Amino acid sequence: MIDIHCHILYGVDDGPQNETETLALLHQAIEDGVTDIIATPHHRNRHFINEKKDVLILVDKVNSLAQENRLSITIHPGQEVRIYGEIAEDYARDEILNLAGKTNYVLVELPSSQVPAYTERVLYEMQVAGLIPIIAHPERNSAIMEDPGKLYSLINQGALSQVTAASIAGDFGKKIQKFSIELVEHQLAHFIASDAHDTRHRGFAMKRAQKAIESAHGHDFGVFENADRLLKGHSLQLNPPMEMKTKGFWSKLLNR
Amino acid sequence: MAAKPKKSNMDSKKRNLIAEYNPKSVASEQYRTIRTNIQFSAIDEDIRTITVSSSSPGEGKSTTAANLAIVFAQQGKKVLLVDADMRKPTVHFTFNMMNTIGLTTVLTRQSELDKTANQTDIENLDILSSGPIPPNPSELLSSRVMNRFFDTAKNMYDLIIFDTPPVLAVTDAQVLSHQCDGTILVVRAGIADKDKVTKAKEAIVSAKAKILGVVLNDKKMKSNDEYYYYGNN
């Protein structure tokens, strides 16, 4: 299984702080069936700046760490870029990393409580520059939860999205679980990834997520295969997004 | 990690492109009938550019546009299918291709048409997906670069078919139909609202565009209507 969103590098963000913690996460990843991790440290989210050149160095270090410990898992470079006005320009300036360091995909994080007005413009400019934005964990954005139409229009305009395995598995509660599965059903989410930070509270839940979605539908909508295709550089299997019904007064009242 | 194959997706794609995957079906025959009607609708001029639209969403524009493009290509014409529905682009899904470049990048001169249009497995048929969607799509379609696009495309293709958004939703379809030789209005039986269809027709006529005809889609057939077809699909 391929994990396209994971805070596996140590000492760079709110993920592991040292080699020991990274090793523990790597062990957990392997147990969860993960063979490849795209390391996506936070970039430009007010607290952390992790430019391309720094990420590349640390990815090499963690790969050697894995080899020294005879772990059969490969780390690829990446970033989780907080949305800002100049992503496309900074990509051209070689500060922004695409996923795995070789694809056209860039993982973009929105603020947790809103979809800024400039989002469409920024995602459009990224696409004009030949990049495909993948919106990280839309299921945890409160403005999108309130109005899924906001995500629909971004997907309609060519962005993709990634929901977090733990959300699908139900670790953040029933409401987020239900919403995440609905996003996948409506072709509004195209990947499932761990977004793992530590082994205790925000670990891997890939197998449990797969179980949850398969038990609900009998198949997984290709969300795991898409990650595999992304890493191999193959084109993804995508379908047109479907609009989600905004909740009416009564269902809001009943589903609180 | 063997996920179960997504059979339903592939099937629906094949169903959408019925003129290619099941050319002997009643539906494919109907598409060929529409093709002939279009060819006979113009007496002294060739129809080289066609807009396919509808009054409201979900009436079958994209399916009709794709299948018409296929039956024209099967006839040996060099055809370009253009996704000009920048409100809900779907052509790249139907033909399973990436949408990183397309109409918008050609119009904004970031790519050339001959390097942007995708060849398909279907002989003579090329596809131009929408490309990244700008925040102001209508402006692109009415701009002068669109005229240039028409000139270039007509030099390369015998026929250009535009898939557009619904007429009543935005002005895009009106703008395009004005620039095209003819417009086809897709009407879905049992779904389309009579007043809305009339309004859509008026909008197209007021854009000084020529309506070639209306395609009535999804009409339930009585079983004896098709008794002389050998097979029901």
Side-chain angles (χ1 to χ4, degrees):
Chain A
M1 201 167 342
I2 317 294
D3 188 6
I4 67 159
H5 181 177
C6 183
H7 300 264
I8 195 78
L9 305 182
Y10 53 85
V12 292
D13 60 8
D14 53 347
Q17 292 310 310
N18 50 48
E19 290 191 8
T20 321
E21 288 180 14
T22 290
L23 261 180
L25 264 176
L26 287 175
H27 278 288
Q28 199 182 49
I30 293 168
E31 243 169 70
D32 206 25
V34 176
T35 58
D36 291 82
I37 291 179
I38 302 182
T40 50
H42 287 292
H43 180 52
R44 288 212 172 229
N45 78 339
R46 275 193 301 135
H47 304 289
F48 307 106
I49 290 187
N50 286 299
E51 283 183 11
K52 179 176 174 176
K53 57 180 187 332
D54 306 320
V55 174
L56 292 176
I57 294 168
L58 205 52
V59 164
D60 283 346
K61 277 191 189 169
V62 172
N63 269 324
S64 325
L65 184 70
Q67 277 163 17
E68 284 160 21
N69 288 275
R70 299 181 189 279
L71 300 178
S72 54
I73 190 162
T74 312
I75 316 301
H76 307 264
Q79 275 169 333
E80 179 180 12
V81 185
R82 178 60 164 257
I83 192 159
Y84 65 100
E86 295 82 29
I87 295 183
E89 291 163 38
D90 286 355
Y91 182 81
R93 261 203 290 261
D94 222 23
E95 285 174 18
I96 300 285
L97 253 167
N98 49 33
L99 288 183
K102 59 180 184 188
T103 65
N104 296 325
Y105 302 91
V106 172
L107 188 65
V108 178
E109 183 190 37
L110 299 174
S112 61
S113 60
Q114 49 156 327
V115 178
Y118 56 77
T119 304
E120 281 188 8
R121 186 87 223 176
V122 172
L123 299 188
Y124 169 67
E125 279 171 7
M126 287 177 70
Q127 291 177 70
V128 167
L131 299 172
I132 301 167
I134 299 178
I135 300 165
H137 43 68
E139 81 279 12
R140 303 183 63 191
N141 177 295
S142 54
I144 289 175
M145 280 194 89
E146 188 77 17
D147 174 14
K150 287 198 163 86
L151 179 64
Y152 171 80
S153 64
L154 298 177
I155 303 298
N156 215 2
Q157 289 163 21
L160 300 174
S161 95
Q162 164 262 314
V163 290
T164 297
S167 302
I168 296 265
D171 296 356
F172 299 119
K174 276 249 152 60
K175 201 172 154 190
I176 288 191
Q177 179 181 33
K178 185 163 171 269
F179 186 58
S180 327
I181 292 181
E182 280 172 353
L183 291 181
V184 176
E185 289 167 356
H186 286 80
Q187 313 286 341
L188 295 171
H190 315 85
F191 300 94
I192 289 181
S194 75
D195 192 14
H197 283 68
D198 59 64
T199 49
R200 297 183 62 196
H201 305 291
R202 299 181 69 182
F204 289 84
M206 302 286 273
K207 275 187 186 161
R208 285 191 294 124
Q210 190 173 34
K211 223 180 210 172
I213 200 150
E214 284 194 350
S215 72
H217 289 283
H219 66 102
D220 65 10
F221 295 88
V223 282
F224 295 99
E225 196 191 327
N226 272 344
D228 199 53
R229 285 171 174 268
L230 177 148
L231 190 63
K232 286 184 180 145
H234 298 168
S235 62
L236 308 180
Q237 290 275 6
L238 301 174
N239 283 293
M242 291 177 268
E243 238 165 320
M244 266 167 76
K245 288 197 179 81
T246 340
K247 284 181 183 144
F249 172 76
W250 284 108
S251 65
K252 258 186 191 166
L253 202 69
L254 292 168
N255 284 326
R256 271 197 304 199
Chain B
M1 207 70 315
K4 287 179 192 167
K6 294 189 299 170
K7 194 158 172 284
S8 59
N9 290 337
M10 205 46 227
D11 282 357
S12 74
K13 272 169 193 164
K14 285 193 175 171
R15 194 167 55 237
N16 285 341
L17 300 180
I18 190 165
E20 168 68 7
Y21 290 104
N22 196 352
K24 287 181 181 163
S25 61
V26 177
S28 302
E29 182 58 39
Q30 295 290 345
Y31 284 119
R32 287 191 290 272
T33 305
I34 299 170
R35 176 183 72 194
T36 311
N37 280 332
I38 291 171
Q39 283 164 333
F40 286 176
S41 69
I43 299 179
D44 38 42
E45 42 168 347
D46 262 0
I47 303 279
R48 300 279 310 279
T49 50
I50 298 173
T51 305
V52 179
S53 196
S54 64
S55 62
S56 309
E59 297 202 52
K61 287 178 301 296
S62 301
T63 310
T64 304
N67 283 290
L68 273 184
I70 290 170
V71 293
F72 273 109
Q74 285 168 345
Q75 202 186 29
K77 285 208 156 58
K78 191 105 180 75
V79 181
L80 178 67
L81 174 64
V82 181
D83 195 349
D85 185 351
M86 300 195 192
R87 314 293 161 159
K88 196 180 193 319
T90 55
V91 173
H92 61 288
F93 292 116
T94 310
F95 288 89
N96 221 347
M97 49 185 56
M98 298 304 283
N99 192 25
T100 39
I101 49 174
L103 177 62
T104 56
T105 52
V106 173
L107 291 180
T108 51
R109 297 191 188 199
Q110 283 153 14
S111 63
E112 292 294 326
L113 177 59
D114 55 342
K115 293 189 185 73
T116 311
N118 282 286
Q119 286 183 352
T120 60
D121 298 339
I122 302 159
E123 205 183 339
N124 293 321
L125 177 61
D126 285 3
I127 306 288
L128 187 64
S129 62
S130 68
I133 306 301
N136 53 348
S138 299
E139 289 173 28
L140 267 187
L141 294 180
S142 57
S143 62
R144 229 174 264 160
V145 283
M146 194 69 201
N147 293 333
R148 213 174 58 105
F149 174 81
F150 269 89
D151 293 343
T152 324
K154 276 179 164 173
N155 276 331
M156 292 168 61
Y157 297 94
D158 300 321
L159 181 69
I160 304 140
I161 297 179
F162 292 91
D163 186 4
T164 66
V167 176
L168 297 182
V170 281
T171 58
D172 301 14
Q174 263 178 288
V175 170
L176 264 174
S177 61
H178 173 69
Q179 303 176 75
C180 283
D181 299 334
T183 298
I184 292 170
L185 206 55
V186 179
V187 176
R188 187 172 213 126
I191 301 282
D193 181 288
K194 218 185 217 173
D195 292 342
K196 283 187 178 163
V197 175
T198 316
K199 258 191 198 152
K201 182 200 151 206
E202 284 164 4
I204 294 171
V205 171
S206 75
K208 298 199 177 67
K210 181 175 169 190
I211 295 188
L212 297 174
V214 171
V215 173
L216 184 62
N217 192 19
D218 208 15
K219 166 101 166 61
K220 298 285 174 286
M221 283 202 280
K222 288 185 206 130
S223 56
N224 61 349
D225 280 353
E226 49 181 336
Y227 73 97
Y228 50 85
Y229 285 104
Y230 302 101
N232 285 337
N233 50 352

